[in-house]
Amino acid sequence: MLNTVQLTDEEKTLVRHVAAGTVLDLAPGAAGDVIDATVMSSWDIQHEIRAEVIRDILRGRHLPAGGADPHGLQLRGARIIGRLDLDHLISPMRLSLKWCHLLDGVSGKSCQIPDLDLSWSVVGVTDQYATEGAVWLLGAKIFGALGLRGATLTNETGPALSADGVSVGGNVFLDDGFTATGHGDDGVVRLLGAQITGQVSLRGATLTNETGPALTADGVSVGGGVFLDGAFTATGHGEDGEVH
């Protein structure tokens, strides 16, 4: 089938990097410690990659005959346009979006992917998807690690990270300055019934919910231990407490 989406110059460059196994850095002159939400809000069209193009690449579209390198799709310093739809996606490709701005969040219901890394990214959500969460991973299968180190997740009317029933074959990193703000009874970070083979680290994380619990993890199974230390802070309200 022919690809009907016309790629921008930046998106064509991303395809070449995926084939070569290298990182496309759209903010090459900026050190990670200076890329924050204010800097991201100033990015122009040269930082933009459409969410639909990322999904297409993960499905093997737009790629040359040799396909993707095993390093997968690696993107830094990008503004992702549209909600990143990974729903029901089955891909052999790793996905790394570090120091990226995802204004409409990520939806990965029942997806299957080797690794997902959103570390140091800023993730929001529009009202249309607020009940799902800024990052929604209901029933997802991640065979390696789930990384959200240093990321900032914000949802003014629902959960920040909603991952009920997620299966992670490696570690879950919600640490190193990870900040999540949510609203309501569903909590800020939801891991109900999650199956995690490795560790869950929330070292130094900050979870805030003015109207409900901060961390909800009933029925979670963790093989390698859970770390809520290193100035970990959870602020919640209601009978379910901060950590439930």
Side-chain angles (χ1 to χ4, degrees):
M1 179 181 295
L2 295 176
N3 295 313
T4 58
V5 176
Q6 298 299 313
L7 302 183
T8 66
D9 289 343
E10 289 74 21
E11 291 164 351
K12 292 176 182 177
T13 302
L14 175 60
V15 169
R16 291 195 291 271
H17 278 271
V18 172
T22 52
V23 180
L24 172 58
D25 188 353
L26 294 177
D33 59 359
V34 302
I35 300 178
D36 57 16
T38 301
V39 171
M40 292 178 180
S41 66
S42 70
W43 285 346
D44 57 18
I45 193 171
Q46 294 182 341
H47 291 263
E48 292 182 356
I49 300 290
R50 287 172 293 173
E52 63 181 307
V53 172
I54 293 176
R55 180 181 174 91
D56 278 350
I57 293 173
L58 293 173
R59 295 180 64 191
R61 296 181 174 181
H62 306 298
L63 294 170
D69 184 271
H71 286 295
L73 193 159
Q74 303 173 85
L75 184 58
R76 179 185 186 271
R79 175 186 288 165
I80 309 303
I81 304 302
R83 188 164 174 84
L84 180 55
D85 178 11
L86 307 178
D87 289 353
H88 309 290
L89 178 73
I90 299 176
S91 177
M93 208 177 302
R94 295 178 172 88
L95 178 59
S96 174
L97 304 175
K98 294 183 178 180
W99 285 283
C100 289
H101 196 188
L102 298 98
L103 291 80
D104 296 327
V106 179
S107 181
K109 178 182 178 181
S110 300
C111 70
Q112 298 183 36
I113 192 169
D115 294 286
L116 177 60
D117 195 351
L118 304 175
S119 294
W120 298 288
S121 289
V122 173
V123 186
V125 64
T126 56
D127 290 342
Q128 181 180 358
Y129 302 104
T131 58
E132 297 175 359
V135 177
W136 191 42
L137 297 174
L138 177 67
K141 292 185 178 180
I142 300 169
F143 300 103
L146 171 60
L148 284 153
R149 279 185 160 148
T152 300
L153 276 56
T154 305
N155 186 352
E156 295 181 355
T157 56
L161 171 62
S162 185
D164 293 0
V166 70
S167 174
V168 180
N171 298 319
V172 175
F173 298 109
L174 309 176
D175 54 9
D176 200 9
F178 172 77
T179 302
T181 303
H183 184 92
D185 294 339
D186 286 340
V188 179
V189 172
R190 291 176 56 88
L191 295 170
L192 274 70
Q195 303 290 314
I196 300 163
T197 301
Q199 301 176 349
V200 176
S201 176
L202 286 107
R203 283 176 166 155
T206 302
L207 312 182
T208 306
N209 186 352
E210 298 296 335
T211 58
L215 173 62
T216 304
D218 297 19
V220 67
S221 174
V222 181
V226 179
F227 299 92
L228 308 175
D229 57 357
F232 167 76
T233 302
T235 302
H237 293 269
E239 61 183 15
D240 287 336
E242 285 81 10
V243 176
H244 186 64

